Structure formats: structure tokens, C-alpha cells
Amino acid sequence: VPLLIKLPGQRLAGSTRGERVSLLDLAPTLLGALQVERPASFRGWDLFDPAPEGAYGERVLLAEAVMRREEQRAGFLGDVKVVLPDLPPDAAEPRQFELGADPSELDPGPLQGEAAVRIYEAMLAHLRFWSGRAPGVVGDDPAAGELDPALLEHMQALGYTE
């Protein structure tokens, strides 16, 4: 999805970025444009800051979408895309696409290679993190606490927990 940002004084006017980036980058980018220090807890990058060579290609990016009433999760690393169609993760076969050779994603294959494994592990870690630390966690330790029953029911309906 294209992102357009107009800065005061024509700053960086006409500049473009071709890298795949994350929605997590939006807040740090806007704070950077406003010259406001970003909180250390933000995981995204300021897209106006120059990134180290190749840094964007080494970062696993995650996406979620609902397509044809089915929730899908995807992860990207360079030209490799992994799609996890259903939850729980062990119930669905992840599919791998090589976007350089198959940009239309017509030829899915099984997971193979280091990039696909990194993507899949990042997807599972993301799901575990959010299922255990979502707002509404009961108790002092969000990692060990129990979810509020109403929130748990909602997350189960969305497929985030069992």
C-alpha cells in the first residue's frame, strides 16, 4: 500500500522509497518528521533516516488480512513470502512463494530454505506474543496472567487463541 507524506517546507519533496516496509514504521516516521524523540519501545523504523545497506531486506515483515472470509497471515523476507492461512498454526500447512520468480503468487510450495524458516518462526513468535500480552490480561504478569474471559472469547472467535 503506498504511503504519501508531505513535509513542511518541501522537505524531501519528490523522494521515494522502494523497500517493503511495515505499518510499525509509520509512528516512528511521523515522530521523526515532527522532530519528536520516539519511545524506545517502538519497534518500527523512521523511514526518513538512512538505513544501513541491506537492512530492509534482512527484516521479517508480517501482515494479516481477511480474504474470502478466511484470516490469513503472511510474512516477507526479501523475495520470500510465507502464508499461513488458518489457525492454530499447526493445523494449517504454510505456503511459500518466491516473489522474484513468481510475482503473481501462482505457484505455492512447501517451506524450504533459511528465509522461509525465519519468516515462519517470526510469525509463530508474533502470535504467541500477542495471545499472551493482549490488553485485558488478568494479573500482574502479562506473560503468565489469564485473559479476561470476554477478551479470550473474542480472540478465539478471531482465531488468535485456542
Side-chain angles (χ1 to χ4, degrees):
V1 176
L3 171 65
L4 303 172
I5 299 176
K6 182 176 177 17
L7 300 173
Q10 300 290 318
R11 186 171 148 230
L12 298 173
S15 62
T16 62
R17 301 290 294 261
E19 302 93 356
R20 189 176 285 125
V21 297
S22 170
L23 190 56
L24 293 174
D25 300 327
L26 185 58
T29 299
L30 294 176
L31 289 175
L34 296 169
Q35 298 177 343
V36 174
E37 188 173 332
R38 70 183 184 117
S41 62
F42 279 25
R43 295 186 342 205
W45 296 355
D46 180 344
L47 300 175
F48 294 126
D49 283 346
E53 185 68 32
Y56 286 104
E58 293 300 315
R59 181 169 68 151
V60 174
L61 298 176
L62 303 177
E64 295 179 318
V66 177
M67 299 180 67
R68 296 183 203 94
R69 298 182 187 202
E70 178 182 299
E71 264 190 74
Q72 295 193 5
R73 285 143 189 89
F76 301 86
L77 179 60
D79 281 343
V80 178
K81 177 180 180 181
V82 173
V83 175
L84 184 61
D86 290 316
L87 287 178
D90 54 350
E93 269 308 304
R95 299 181 308 242
Q96 177 177 337
F97 296 92
E98 297 293 334
L99 300 177
D102 181 20
S104 298
E105 300 176 28
L106 300 174
D107 189 23
L111 291 188
Q112 57 186 14
E114 181 182 336
V117 171
R118 277 187 57 201
I119 295 168
Y120 187 64
E121 288 174 351
M123 293 170 82
L124 294 181
H126 175 78
L127 292 170
R128 281 192 299 270
F129 177 85
W130 285 109
S131 66
R133 296 179 185 261
V137 172
V138 177
D140 293 333
D141 181 4
E146 294 182 23
L147 290 177
D148 172 74
L151 178 62
L152 180 59
E153 183 178 331
H154 181 72
M155 289 181 68
Q156 287 171 335
L158 292 173
Y160 285 104
T161 61
E162 296 178 355

